[in-house]
Amino acid sequence: MQQDYAGIGIFFLIAAVFPMIVLATAWLVRPKRPSPEKLSTYECGLETQGSTWVQFKISYFLYALIFVVFDVETVFLYPWAVRFSSLGLFAFVEMVIFIAILVIGLWYAWKEGALEWM
Amino acid sequence: MTSTIIFWLIAIIIMGSALMVVLLRNIVHSALFLVVTFVGVSGLYVMLQADFLAAVQLLVYAGAIAILLVFGVMLTVRGDIKYSNLFNRHKFTAGVVSLGLFLLIERIILSSDLLISNKPALESTVGPIADALLTDYVIPFEAAAILLLVAMVGAILLARGEGKPQ
């Protein structure tokens, strides 16, 4: 079982090292002739005004909250999905009820306009 | 032998990133290193052969809690973000309190006799959890759904303010 995770570990390692190698190679190979034009953040479009870090509206927080609820739902879906074939119809009905209860929440969020992008 | 090396690697990653959470001055960078800490802890769970707990750690902590933290920072940030996670004048007191807590926990761990099972570790913990959850513990399982529903409705009510139409 734990040997299976070695693959994931190697994957993590490659995922961490690969971008570094790419960026280092680019840094070694590329010519370095910076100019103010090249160093500007945007090549085209409007110049940004003020700080990039601004306070966001509270309504965006609702997306995060709804995401967290459905993320926790995934925790319950995961073991069910693993044993789906052996658990049978009863478990399927249970999970339908489980998801139905959470869909009520989604419907409420929708009704309250929490999903509208403002 | 190999597992010892992997354990120390993970331990170094966890401790290093946890230190960065405290020491970095930009709170967004601290939040990102907190995600690294969570991923490292999930690696520890894998080493303890608790694969379901590792998945939950990744999903809930590295996924959801990190998102909530970043949103929280975006909603509350004031002033220059580059200096949003500074030390204040209670640095020394905090150090003493942390050291005291560490020594206390260390004493408790060393003085308690932890029960070690003789049974071999389970191949996979997800399957037995699924069997228990969907057969013997149906009512708590559905109650969890209602709990989540209540949490979601409550959060929406709190965030939007009662009786304020959009």
Side-chain angles (χ1 to χ4, degrees):
Chain A
M1 191 63 203
Q2 284 204 300
Q3 269 71 37
D4 301 343
Y5 285 97
I8 298 177
I10 291 164
F11 186 80
F12 261 103
L13 206 66
I14 293 172
V17 170
F18 183 72
M20 288 182 205
I21 293 172
V22 171
L23 288 173
T25 318
W27 180 76
L28 282 172
V29 174
R30 74 184 173 212
K32 295 173 194 69
R33 285 189 292 276
S35 66
E37 289 290 300
K38 281 185 188 171
L39 290 174
S40 67
T41 314
Y42 293 107
E43 197 182 335
C44 57
L46 294 172
E47 292 283 321
T48 53
Q49 287 182 353
S51 168
T52 319
W53 299 95
V54 291
Q55 199 181 341
F56 281 70
K57 275 165 74 179
I58 187 79
S59 50
Y60 295 116
F61 196 57
L62 286 174
Y63 291 94
L65 287 172
I66 294 164
F67 167 72
V68 168
V69 169
F70 282 96
D71 202 50
V72 174
E73 186 201 349
T74 318
V75 169
F76 288 96
L77 280 173
Y78 165 52
W80 172 69
V82 168
R83 277 292 168 97
F84 178 73
S85 50
S86 65
L87 279 168
L89 186 68
F90 182 59
F92 180 72
V93 173
E94 275 170 48
M95 195 45 91
V96 168
I97 295 168
F98 183 83
I99 293 171
I101 291 170
L102 281 168
V103 166
I104 294 170
L106 185 65
W107 167 78
Y108 179 73
W110 201 325
K111 184 181 82 81
E112 289 291 301
L115 301 177
E116 275 164 37
W117 195 259
M118 281 158 282
Chain B
M1 185 59 206
T2 328
S3 63
T4 318
I5 294 168
I6 294 169
F7 170 78
W8 281 107
L9 271 178
I10 293 173
I12 288 166
I13 290 170
I14 293 173
M15 293 307 289
S17 54
L19 270 176
M20 293 304 251
V21 173
V22 181
L23 295 175
L24 283 178
R25 284 156 166 248
N26 188 334
I27 200 154
V28 178
H29 297 169
S30 294
L32 291 176
F33 270 102
L34 195 62
V35 175
V36 177
T37 314
F38 288 150
V39 173
V41 171
S42 120
L44 276 189
Y45 285 143
V46 168
M47 294 206 65
L48 293 168
Q49 303 193 319
D51 49 348
F52 182 67
L53 209 53
V56 170
Q57 172 81 12
L58 272 184
L59 270 171
V60 175
Y61 280 86
I65 302 289
I67 293 276
L68 273 186
L69 270 174
V70 170
F71 265 84
V73 169
M74 289 201 314
L75 288 166
T76 54
V77 70
R78 295 270 199 291
D80 196 350
I81 192 84
K82 279 184 188 131
Y83 305 103
S84 49
N85 190 21
L86 302 175
F87 285 102
N88 62 9
R89 58 199 151 77
H90 301 299
K91 208 191 287 187
F92 182 72
T93 326
V96 171
V97 171
S98 308
L99 189 70
L101 185 68
F102 173 76
L103 288 175
L104 184 73
I105 294 171
E106 182 251 335
R107 288 313 307 163
I108 292 169
I109 291 173
L110 288 184
S111 63
S112 61
D113 33 24
L114 300 165
L115 295 170
I116 297 167
S117 170
N118 294 321
K119 287 181 189 167
L122 291 168
E123 263 301 292
S124 161
T125 52
V126 185
I129 285 173
D131 292 340
L133 199 62
L134 292 162
T135 52
D136 294 342
Y137 298 98
V138 180
I139 301 297
F141 173 67
E142 301 295 352
I146 291 169
L147 187 69
L148 284 172
L149 176 69
V150 170
M152 181 147 75
V153 172
I156 291 165
L157 270 178
L158 278 177
R160 290 183 56 82
E162 209 196 334
K164 244 194 298 172
Q166 186 54 46

